[in-house]
């Protein structure tokens, strides 16, 4: 079976019973290239942004059951992280290597209004170094569009 057909079938299976993206009120905006990404609500607090061309996903997961602060995140990460900036936010970058699944995963954790928000992107390890770098750079460039919203932005469109 050709790879493109297989990927299309897998996408249909994965998203068969998933509702369209339903945005909670975040206080930030993020911009995706138009018509290239689809948005899916996977669970109560998890959303997938899937690239229609290469099936790469950026996952947004949020936690608002507690008021989070930097020290709590540092402890959760066992003080193993890199501080980085994505858009208007300081983030905690955690890199994971799932050897069993040959997958690298990058997690950017930000705190916004006391809510912990995780953006993650998985990249298959069997790709060439150039393909892995391209996938990482694409996800990172999208995440760099994170901007703190004005109340007017929040009322109009959170995800652009």
């Amino acid at each position: 079976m050709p790879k493109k057909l297989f990927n299309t079938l897998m996408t249909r299976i994965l998203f068969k019973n998933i509702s369209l993206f339903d945005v909670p009120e975040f206080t930030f905006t993020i911009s995706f290239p138009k018509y290239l990404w689809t948005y899916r609500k996977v669970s109560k607090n998890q959303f997938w942004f899937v690239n229609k061309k290469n099936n790469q996903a950026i996952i947004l997961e949020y936690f608002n059951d507690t008021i989070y602060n930097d020290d709590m995140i540092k402890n959760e990460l066992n003080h193993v992280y890199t501080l980085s900036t994505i858009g208007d936010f300081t983030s905690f970058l955690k890199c994971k290597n799932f050897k069993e699944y040959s997958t690298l995963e990058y997690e950017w954790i930000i705190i916004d209004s006391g809510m912990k928000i995780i953006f993650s992107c998985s990249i298959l390890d069997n790709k060439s170094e150039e393909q892995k770098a391209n996938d990482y750079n694409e996800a990172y460039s999208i995440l760099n569009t994170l901007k703190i919203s004005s109340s007017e932005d929040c009322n109009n469109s959170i995800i652009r």
Side-chain angles (χ1 to χ4, degrees), residues 23-151:
V23 182
E25 282 202 22
F26 293 118
T27 59
F28 58 82
T29 60
I30 185 170
S31 300
F32 285 86
K34 287 186 177 183
Y35 310 113
L36 185 59
W37 292 79
T38 59
Y39 314 108
R40 302 289 183 209
K41 181 177 182 177
V42 178
S43 68
K44 179 182 168 190
N45 67 334
Q46 190 177 98
F47 303 90
W48 289 13
F49 306 94
V50 181
N51 184 311
K52 294 181 205 176
K53 185 174 165 187
N54 63 12
N55 286 334
Q56 178 184 12
I58 296 175
I59 298 170
L60 179 155
E61 193 169 11
Y62 70 95
F63 303 88
N64 63 356
D65 53 341
T66 251
I67 300 297
Y68 290 92
N69 62 39
D70 286 359
D71 290 333
M72 291 173 73
I73 302 301
K74 290 174 185 176
N75 287 333
E76 282 182 17
L77 297 175
N78 293 323
H79 298 276
V80 181
Y81 59 86
T82 302
L83 277 179
S84 68
T85 301
I86 54 172
D88 291 343
F89 297 89
T90 298
S91 73
F92 299 88
L93 175 61
K94 177 84 172 184
C95 303
K96 299 176 180 177
N97 187 353
F98 297 99
K99 293 183 187 280
E100 183 177 342
Y101 302 106
S102 297
T103 303
L104 304 170
E105 183 177 85
Y106 299 91
E107 283 187 353
W108 293 268
I109 302 168
I110 64 171
I111 299 170
D112 184 34
S113 302
M115 183 187 308
K116 178 172 79 169
I117 298 162
I118 301 175
F119 288 96
S120 59
C121 177
S122 296
I123 299 173
L124 294 176
D125 201 24
N126 63 359
K127 291 185 173 186
S128 72
E129 293 303 316
E130 183 179 347
Q131 289 172 316
K132 287 191 275 189
N134 288 342
D135 286 353
Y136 174 86
N137 287 332
E138 183 174 12
Y140 188 67
S141 70
I142 289 169
L143 292 177
N144 262 326
T145 68
L146 276 173
K147 296 204 180 327
I148 296 172
S149 301
S150 68
S151 58

Side-chain angles (χ1 to χ4, degrees), residues 1-12 55:
M1 179 181 302
K3 185 176 181 180
K4 186 172 184 172
L5 179 60
F6 176 77
N7 286 340
T8 302
L9 289 173
M10 286 305 295
T11 301
R12 285 186 186 146
N55 286 334

